[in-house]
Amino acid sequence: MNPSNPPQAAEYGGDEISAIVLDPGYSTTRAGFAGEDAPKSLIPSYYGKYNADGKEKLIYGDDIFVTPRPGLSIHNPIGRDGIVEDWDMAEKVWEHSFTSRLTGAKSSNPFQNGLNDIPSEELPTEMDVESEEKALADSPLLMTEPGWNPVKAREKTAEIAMEKWGTPAFYMARSGVLAAFASGKASALVVDIGASNISITPVHDGMILKRGVQHSPLGGDYISSQIRALFKKNSPQPITITPHYLISSKTAVEAGQPPQAKYRSFPADKAPDASYRSLLEERTLSEFKECVVQVWPGPNKLAATGSNGMANEEVARTSPGRPFEFPDGYNQLFGVDRFRIVESLFDAKAAIPDPDSPFPAPTPAQTLPELIKASLGGVDVDLRPHLLANVVVTGASSLLYGFTDRLNHELMSIYPGPRVRISAAGNTAERRFGSWIGGSILASLGTFHQMWISKKEYDEHGANIVEKRCK
């Protein structure tokens, strides 16, 4: 059997197959059927761990937000750089993402379902029972991966899909390439702003240009840490975030007045771990990002002076503030500060300092304009104008108000010659699930069937066939 020849129809199940597309990220894991326009299953990539009756219990999906169980701690199997750190748990979280909504639970042992109980006067008969039905025995699986995923991690993923889940066919695609496909381009410069990092991926004719791939940790979680830094400096008093589960009732108060709320308290043996609280605080910060935070649209930096001789900060002050109410009832209008939060993505000097932040202060090389410069510096000179004319913006953190305008101004000031064109889907779902949608399009194409790695090929060549086939 030659890996360069397309597999026979019997090997991959013909055209009537519903492939599953799995797009794991640091913050959420998205799964759904190929050919659909949005993932059916969207769960947090975090899992909860707690002890009950002396046994360690694990919870997945949205259940982790619901009840603050005693000692409940929150963990993430994926590191901040987007590479899996805990394979056993990553496998369980991913499996939950498709078994909970797409494939259903595994069938139970027929001896124990009550339908095969043997009357006492009959002798038991021997029954052949398949020991374990595998989670994906009927569905091919397309998985996404970051552009800098190491070889060992790719092989390990293929091993889980083929051996643990029993998928009949498998493929791994780079998320940058898929985001380009989702916006209808075979060649593009993909700017993906996720929860844990920003990545810039140059794609040419559906192939990733490895030398140009850049990434930095200034993603959505970094923006959240900047919001926390801003809250500490807030006047008249610092803002503290109290998650919903700690509030039993609240009274409406005027803007800027201290909150009037009754708080719940948990005794030490019943309280969840601190990581649970910070996860729920993160949800409030996400709401704040969606409602309030704004990117200074440009031209020039927020700290610079505009063409009319007025400082940009002064111009920003004239725009009306945006109100926000916290779970405990405290509310306030946010004026020019809402522009400062994201400014350090474009200008490292504008970062709001916070000694308690888990993120070190950003360096100029980690900012978006410098990453794009470095990325284009790593590709052939002839390709640069074509990539600049096809800049694809994706990732949920790119939905910040004014983001694409600012990126456009920044790119035009760095590259005044070539024509810069940014395509960013206006539909929020398309921007949040860019790489999933690209995977859905790819796996449902008739011509893609010859790309699948079949079970037979995997058994013959081993896990390193992923390196050869999934370029």
Side-chain angles (χ1 to χ4, degrees):
M1 193 168 143
N2 182 349
S4 59
N5 290 349
Q8 298 306 305
E11 277 172 32
Y12 63 77
D15 289 335
E16 293 304 313
I17 50 167
S18 53
I20 283 179
V21 180
L22 179 64
D23 178 19
Y26 178 78
S27 165
T28 57
T29 298
R30 304 154 282 271
F33 291 113
E36 296 192 346
D37 50 8
K40 258 201 172 75
S41 162
L42 176 68
I43 65 161
S45 298
Y46 299 90
Y47 64 93
K49 211 192 252 184
Y50 67 101
N51 285 329
D53 311 329
K55 286 185 188 153
E56 188 177 77
K57 301 251 176 117
L58 298 168
I59 41 177
Y60 311 102
D62 288 330
D63 293 352
I64 57 176
F65 299 121
V66 183
T67 34
R69 296 174 170 86
L72 174 62
S73 59
I74 304 293
H75 308 267
N76 193 333
I78 297 178
R80 282 207 177 275
D81 55 355
I83 309 294
V84 177
E85 289 176 350
D86 178 349
W87 281 101
D88 294 342
M89 287 316 303
E91 181 194 325
K92 288 178 179 161
V93 171
W94 296 345
E95 190 170 324
H96 178 82
S97 75
F98 53 77
T99 51
S100 60
R101 296 296 302 274
L102 307 176
T103 58
K106 298 173 186 166
S107 53
S108 60
N109 184 336
F111 280 125
Q112 288 155 6
N113 63 6
L115 299 174
N116 295 302
D117 290 350
I118 299 156
S120 53
E121 67 275 5
E122 284 184 26
L123 290 170
T125 50
E126 286 298 314
M127 253 170 85
D128 286 339
V129 177
E130 270 193 38
S131 59
E132 183 80 343
E133 192 178 320
K134 299 206 165 159
L136 281 178
D138 308 325
S139 308
L141 176 71
L142 172 86
M143 266 186 82
T144 70
E145 56 170 346
W148 54 93
N149 207 18
V151 179
K152 284 270 174 280
R154 305 182 79 191
E155 291 179 359
K156 179 75 181 164
T157 312
E159 197 182 297
I160 289 173
M162 287 291 187
E163 293 174 18
K164 300 273 181 68
W165 296 338
T167 179
F170 177 71
Y171 192 78
M172 272 194 107
R174 312 275 187 181
S175 49
V177 174
L178 296 179
F181 288 165
S183 62
K185 298 178 192 306
S187 302
L189 184 69
V190 179
V191 178
D192 184 350
I193 307 199
S196 61
N197 49 36
I198 297 176
S199 65
I200 314 289
T201 315
V203 179
H204 181 61
D205 282 343
M207 299 297 275
I208 190 168
L209 303 174
K210 274 211 174 130
R211 286 212 321 273
V213 176
Q214 298 287 333
H215 63 108
S216 93
L218 306 188
D221 289 350
Y222 166 76
I223 299 170
S224 295
S225 77
Q226 287 283 285
I227 299 174
R228 284 179 191 271
L230 177 80
F231 286 175
K232 281 182 189 170
K233 292 198 158 94
N234 185 60
S235 61
Q237 73 258 28
I239 300 173
T240 50
I241 305 166
T242 312
H244 287 284
Y245 78 96
L246 289 172
I247 294 161
S248 57
S249 67
K250 62 179 181 184
T251 320
V253 292
E254 291 294 314
Q257 294 304 310
Q260 290 184 357
K262 286 193 182 131
Y263 299 105
R264 268 199 199 114
S265 62
F266 290 88
D269 59 331
K270 294 273 193 289
D273 185 73
S275 57
Y276 179 76
R277 176 169 179 158
S278 58
L279 178 75
L280 287 175
E281 286 179 5
E282 201 60 43
R283 295 190 92 184
T284 303
L285 292 172
S286 295
E287 250 172 73
F288 185 83
K289 273 185 277 195
E290 288 164 17
C291 306
V292 178
V293 176
Q294 206 169 332
V295 183
W296 171 246
N300 301 328
K301 299 180 170 56
L302 183 61
T305 308
S307 50
N308 55 4
M310 231 173 124
N312 284 341
E313 287 216 6
E314 291 303 317
V315 180
R317 274 199 174 82
T318 59
S319 69
R322 291 192 171 183
F324 187 79
E325 183 177 317
F326 292 88
D328 58 2
Y330 177 80
N331 64 92
Q332 186 180 321
L333 267 183
F334 291 88
V336 69
D337 285 340
R338 70 177 189 270
F339 293 102
R340 291 198 183 115
I341 292 166
V342 198
E343 190 59 20
S344 53
L345 264 62
F346 299 93
D347 175 13
K349 292 193 196 79
I352 305 169
D354 180 7
D356 307 332
S357 167
F359 295 90
T363 61
Q366 291 175 333
T367 59
L368 257 174
E370 293 301 319
L371 285 174
I372 291 174
K373 254 196 220 166
S375 176
L376 288 172
V379 303
D380 199 81
V381 180
D382 302 344
L383 291 177
R384 288 175 203 170
H386 184 54
L387 291 176
L388 280 166
N390 294 285
V391 178
V392 172
V393 174
T394 184
S397 301
S398 70
L399 286 162
L400 292 167
Y401 194 78
F403 179 83
T404 41
D405 296 345
R406 175 63 178 276
L407 186 62
N408 197 25
H409 280 302
E410 292 282 341
L411 289 178
M412 282 161 81
S413 66
I414 305 172
Y415 301 101
R419 190 175 71 151
V420 174
R421 286 192 65 184
I422 293 183
S423 52
N427 180 341
T428 50
E430 281 178 37
R431 194 94 68 89
R432 286 175 62 198
F433 309 134
S435 47
W436 186 90
I437 291 170
S440 169
I441 293 168
L442 191 62
S444 60
L445 293 176
T447 48
F448 181 69
H449 284 317
Q450 61 205 37
M451 303 292 285
W452 289 114
I453 297 167
S454 68
K455 183 83 176 94
K456 200 166 164 189
E457 284 176 292
Y458 174 82
D459 292 342
E460 196 169 311
H461 298 277
N464 67 346
I465 188 168
V466 175
E467 264 317 276
K468 299 190 187 87
R469 188 70 69 80
C470 310
K471 287 281 190 286

